[in-house]
Amino acid sequence: MTWTLELPYERPPKGLHANDRCHWRVKARSAQEVRERVAVLCRVAKIPKLQRVSIQVVWVVPTRHKRDEDGPDPFCKVIYDAIGSDRGVSARIVHDDTREFMDKPRLVIEHQPGELAHFRVEITDISNPFRSDELDQLTKERLT
């Protein structure tokens, strides 16, 4: 199952681009706003608690001019935290935003002429029907 969230930003907010040099409060304010927005969108989409997810962030742009794919990494990190952090403002869809619970492929830049620039976040359930601790328990039972 996949859920799609649309974020209205034409580019990462101030302070959330790798090349931005701004006051820490500006960055903190931007991060808080993005985190709250993503958490609310997750709740509105009624995304249930999951074991493991894949988060694909897509930057939809109307022109083909050159953009740095790893520039928005700080922005993506805030999105990951909003989806699965164990502290602060978060939708808490997964237990944490670590590799164990979340797959984070590199940001994709998608050219779509005529559309306004925005970000699309695709959340895909990749939960394993057998959790590793359950498999360990099954193995222990068979050995005894």
Side-chain angles (χ1 to χ4, degrees):
M1 177 94 189
T2 300
W3 295 268
T4 303
L5 311 177
E6 300 284 334
L7 300 176
Y9 307 104
E10 291 183 20
R11 65 174 308 275
K14 195 74 172 156
L16 298 180
H17 190 281
N19 296 333
D20 285 348
R21 301 290 177 253
C22 62
H23 194 275
W24 65 267
R25 263 191 241 149
V26 173
K27 179 180 178 181
R29 195 175 306 120
S30 293
Q32 179 182 5
E33 192 270 327
V34 170
R35 238 175 129 149
E36 288 173 356
R37 182 184 297 257
V38 171
V40 166
L41 288 172
C42 287
R43 289 185 196 111
V44 168
K46 297 183 179 174
I47 303 173
K49 304 283 185 217
L50 301 167
Q51 290 176 3
R52 186 163 162 72
V53 294
S54 175
I55 310 296
Q56 179 66 66
V57 180
V58 180
W59 189 2
V60 179
V61 295
T63 63
R64 289 193 184 272
H65 77 267
K66 188 176 176 183
R67 290 175 178 85
D68 192 4
E69 288 181 352
D70 58 356
D73 282 352
F75 178 63
C76 292
K77 183 187 179 339
V78 173
I79 292 170
Y80 304 144
D81 288 342
I83 292 169
S85 180
D86 59 346
R87 27 185 123 89
V89 176
S90 173
R92 290 179 174 71
I93 292 171
V94 291
H95 181 67
D96 198 4
D97 63 334
T98 59
R99 184 177 300 168
E100 181 183 353
F101 303 105
M102 190 180 290
D103 183 37
K104 308 172 207 175
R106 168 94 29 226
L107 171 116
V108 173
I109 298 176
E110 190 175 286
H111 176 247
Q112 291 188 3
E115 270 205 50
L116 292 174
H118 66 280
F119 286 87
R120 185 174 66 233
V121 180
E122 299 167 353
I123 303 170
T124 304
D125 179 11
I126 57 170
S127 300
N128 187 347
F130 295 104
R131 294 186 58 174
S132 59
D133 53 344
E134 292 170 348
L135 287 174
D136 289 343
Q137 184 63 31
L138 288 172
T139 305
K140 287 177 186 174
E141 288 174 4
R142 288 186 181 167
L143 293 175
T144 56

